[in-house]
Amino acid sequence: EAAILACLGAGGGSGGMGSGSAASAATLAAHVYAGLAPALLPAAARNVLAHLLDLEARGAVEATAAGAVTLDTGWQKLR
């Protein structure tokens, strides 16, 4: 969870994808799980999506588009 928020700019330091950046679960998984075998990235992306949905419920992130959420939906931090 902390790594996901850091990638979305919550950390404000190195390792983030830039403050205010929006990214999909698939993109975040590739950053958070750098070095993971490519065959495992789809499972990692689903794990990241589950964290994003929890973070959304707690008001920390939001999807950048309305509608059904997929692995390609963009997410951005709120706080």
Side-chain angles (χ1 to χ4, degrees), residues 62-76:
E62 69 178 357
T64 58
V69 172
T70 70
L71 293 176
D72 296 318
T73 299
W75 294 85
Q76 60 190 15

Side-chain angles (χ1 to χ4, degrees), residues 4-5 7-9 16-28 31 52 61-65 72-78:
I4 293 167
L5 289 171
C7 284
L8 291 175
M17 294 169 48
S19 182
S21 293
S24 69
T27 300
L28 290 165
H31 282 83
L52 288 165
V61 300
E62 69 178 357
T64 58
D72 296 318
T73 299
W75 294 85
Q76 60 190 15
K77 76 172 191 78
L78 294 176

Side-chain angles (χ1 to χ4, degrees), residues 1 4 33 46-56 58 61:
E1 183 176 285
I4 293 167
Y33 296 102
R46 290 189 297 275
N47 184 49
V48 168
L49 181 58
H51 281 291
L52 288 165
L53 292 170
D54 177 61
L55 288 165
E56 180 183 43
R58 293 189 278 142
V61 300

